[in-house]
Amino acid sequence: MKRILLSYLLISFSVSLPAQQNKLVKALLPDHGTLQFAGGIGFLSGGIGYDSKNKRIQTDLLYGYVPEKLGGVTIHCITGKFTWIAISGRMNNNIRVDWLSTGILINYVFGKQYFFLSPDKYPLKYYGVPTAAHVGIFAGGGLRYKKAGIYYELGTTDRDLASYVGNIKAIPFFDIVNIGVGAKYFF
Amino acid sequence: MYRILPVMTAILLFSCKNIMFHPEEVRPNAKNLNAINLQKLQSLTPKASFKFIMTGDTQEFYDELEDFVAHVNSLNDISFVLLNGDLVEFGWNNEYNWVADRLAKLKVPYIATIGNHDMLANGREMYKLMFGQENFVFNYGTSRFICLNTNSRETAFDGSIPDMNWLSDQLKDTTPQNIFILSHVPPFSDDFNRSIEYNFRVLLRSNLRTRLSLHGHEHKYHVEQPYGDGLEYLVAGSGEQRNYALITVDGSNYSLEEKFY
């Protein structure tokens, strides 16, 4: 009885929604969910994202967390991420290999020890860059099976890159590379 | 598709060093460096006449730092190296570790004080783990070195930096033949708590064994007596200038030289 009532309510609700509104709801629903390990945006980061129709362009909004035990301090942060699948090939009906992906991300870390806008205690332009945000660039690849996918990324940050460029002799390129791996589920 | 799996596995396994959870994480690759180096220093027989180096502001100058380390290792009459702070630029993990990796190659003991840049973000936590206390003293022979945090602006001039009570306690001891002060921001800087500048410089002079006050921050080598009270202040050494101060102590006399590498 309960089930019938629920189905009736659901049907009448969806019927009563104008078609346009339905479309809007559909467009607002995320295209995939993401869970990532490392990559400079958290021990674990998770969130949702939207894709282009062919899934060659994928965006993510991720919340990241580092426990004190692993990171020395507890870190909470958010990340906006843009990935472009540059080279991709279908193996068969179910399997697709993303040979090369690349992208950019911006990360914001929460906490009063970081600043985005220069605090009042400093004169104008005292420190050149905000400590609460970093930009990352990355390249990697992945594998998709039906609606699930896994990926890896080799990335670096704006600050790492600045250190490297200013110290070509002393800093090995490998030292500025960080690794991230993750999984996506496409709805 | 089977080609990508071994690649991914290899990437996962190749190095834990390349696992960065977040740039602001605090994962020092060396700990208690000041304590370890002081132990090294104390194990040596102190000379009555000795030379030491003071430099700093090595922030983001790793090429220069490597050259500095090689240069100091080529000298054979240096007892120890003092770093006056601003080891790093943004106070974050990679920078501290890169600096520590390079300093580890120094053959002589080195002691580091904290600079304003070292305090950014989680820098204070990182400094504490990697080097130790922000205010500390050590002896070499009959000379005493008082090292302290003078980066007042970082705590918005709230009176906590420098710790005047602590400094006053250290300066009560008149047993050392010489007292040297080491800190990053000199008291005549706008980044020092100007409301206690007078008290600070009078305090330094309250102990007549105080010979010299050593600083950095200004990226410009200069020696002066800004208060005309007989106490010299030396501001020296930064990465991009490839310079350092060579201090020779003989009895209760000292001499200063600006050196380049």
Side-chain angles (χ1 to χ4, degrees):
Chain A
M1 181 62 202
K2 243 184 194 169
R3 197 176 288 176
I4 296 166
L5 193 68
L6 196 68
S7 331
Y8 172 76
L9 276 170
L10 273 174
I11 290 160
S12 59
F13 178 67
S14 56
V15 166
S16 67
L17 270 174
Q20 264 174 336
Q21 215 169 325
N22 229 343
K23 239 182 189 169
L24 185 73
V25 169
K26 227 178 171 181
L28 283 174
L29 285 173
D31 297 324
H32 70 255
T34 304
L35 187 68
Q36 183 175 315
F37 166 77
I41 57 168
F43 162 64
L44 284 176
S45 54
I48 49 144
Y50 298 93
D51 308 326
S52 67
K53 235 177 193 165
N54 59 8
K55 293 194 170 32
R56 292 292 282 268
I57 292 166
Q58 302 180 5
T59 61
D60 284 289
L61 184 65
L62 307 168
Y63 162 76
Y65 171 67
V66 185
E68 192 185 335
K69 225 174 180 172
L70 293 167
V73 287
T74 308
I75 291 170
H76 295 275
C77 58
I78 50 166
T79 306
K81 199 171 158 191
F82 177 92
T83 310
W84 174 52
I85 315 280
I87 305 169
S88 178
R90 192 177 276 282
M91 294 287 112
N92 58 41
N93 273 347
N94 292 329
I95 297 169
R96 178 178 275 279
V97 181
D98 298 332
W99 297 108
L100 178 69
S101 63
T102 182
I104 187 164
L105 62 85
I106 182 156
N107 176 277
Y108 179 88
V109 57
F110 298 98
K112 61 179 185 322
Q113 70 269 50
Y114 316 104
F115 61 83
F116 189 72
L117 299 170
S118 188
D120 292 342
K121 64 185 174 186
Y122 302 125
L124 207 64
K125 293 182 177 169
Y126 194 70
Y127 293 119
V129 298
T131 56
H134 82 263
V135 174
I137 51 168
F138 57 86
L143 189 66
R144 277 182 269 165
Y145 175 75
K146 288 185 178 171
K147 287 185 157 189
I150 51 170
Y151 64 91
Y152 78 93
E153 287 164 4
L154 301 178
T156 190
T157 68
D158 47 353
R159 303 174 197 177
D160 282 302
L161 211 55
S163 298
Y164 174 72
V165 169
N167 300 276
I168 296 279
K169 194 161 67 87
I171 309 264
F173 181 71
F174 202 63
D175 275 17
I176 66 160
V177 176
N178 70 72
I179 303 156
V181 292
K184 280 183 182 175
Y185 186 82
F186 298 90
F187 304 125
Chain B
M1 128 182 127
Y2 296 109
R3 263 182 289 171
I4 204 163
L5 286 175
V7 172
M8 285 187 70
T9 319
I11 283 159
L12 259 179
L13 296 174
F14 74 30
S15 171
C16 278
K17 214 173 102 180
N18 296 73
I19 301 284
M20 176 173 76
F21 299 132
H22 194 278
E24 302 297 356
E25 66 194 5
V26 177
R27 294 199 295 166
N29 60 9
K31 284 188 179 176
N32 299 318
L33 288 176
N34 280 347
I36 291 165
N37 277 283
L38 284 177
Q39 211 167 19
K40 236 168 101 181
L41 187 66
Q42 304 309 337
S43 72
L44 305 170
T45 315
K47 299 177 212 163
S49 167
F50 64 95
K51 287 173 195 258
F52 69 93
I53 281 172
M54 196 268 295
T55 191
D57 294 274
T58 55
Q59 55 211 105
E60 288 289 301
F61 303 119
Y62 306 100
D63 280 354
E64 291 83 350
L65 183 58
E66 286 195 349
D67 293 345
F68 171 73
V69 168
H71 171 77
V72 175
N73 285 346
S74 75
L75 307 171
N76 48 26
D77 56 350
I78 305 298
S79 294
F80 54 91
V81 171
L82 299 182
L83 296 158
N84 64 35
D86 276 6
L87 304 157
V88 300
E89 182 77 7
F90 305 115
W92 59 296
N93 193 65
N94 277 1
E95 291 183 302
Y96 264 105
N97 287 338
W98 285 334
V99 167
D101 282 347
R102 278 146 193 91
L103 289 177
K105 298 198 173 92
L106 271 174
K107 286 183 192 153
V108 295
Y110 59 93
I111 312 296
T113 51
I114 194 164
N116 55 308
H117 279 266
D118 305 325
M119 294 171 71
L120 289 176
N122 297 316
R124 265 184 117 165
E125 184 65 24
M126 189 75 181
Y127 176 88
K128 195 169 127 196
L129 292 173
M130 186 172 263
F131 292 98
Q133 298 294 319
E134 293 175 6
N135 302 327
F136 60 98
V137 296
F138 71 90
N139 297 319
Y140 180 81
T142 53
S143 293
R144 175 162 299 170
F145 293 81
I146 300 176
C147 311
L148 75 159
N149 181 348
T150 54
N151 312 308
S152 319
R153 187 183 291 282
E154 290 310 308
T155 51
F157 307 112
D158 67 357
S160 64
I161 297 174
D163 187 337
M164 294 293 277
N165 293 331
W166 179 86
L167 181 61
S168 160
D169 284 347
Q170 307 313 313
L171 285 166
K172 276 179 188 138
D173 190 352
T174 52
T175 51
Q177 187 181 10
N178 306 305
I179 293 174
F180 295 96
I181 309 294
L182 177 70
S183 86
H184 183 65
V185 172
F188 40 84
S189 163
D190 281 343
D191 299 322
F192 188 88
N193 188 352
R194 275 286 167 82
S195 68
I196 56 166
E197 179 187 0
Y198 176 82
N199 292 350
F200 184 85
R201 60 113 163 159
V202 168
L203 187 57
L204 293 195
R205 212 69 194 100
S206 70
N207 189 326
L208 293 174
R209 302 298 178 100
T210 309
R211 306 280 175 225
L212 182 64
S213 197
L214 306 160
H215 306 277
H217 192 55
E218 297 182 339
H219 293 239
K220 188 174 166 253
Y221 183 99
H222 62 108
V223 185
E224 57 182 308
Q225 284 191 33
Y227 308 114
D229 58 0
L231 183 62
E232 267 191 323
Y233 289 75
L234 164 63
V235 176
S238 62
E240 84 279 21
Q241 304 209 345
R242 294 178 168 269
N243 65 346
Y244 63 86
L246 178 66
I247 298 121
T248 309
V249 182
D250 191 2
S252 41
N253 298 314
Y254 65 85
S255 59
L256 307 173
E257 273 176 276
E258 182 184 16
K259 293 276 191 182
F260 294 86
Y261 55 93

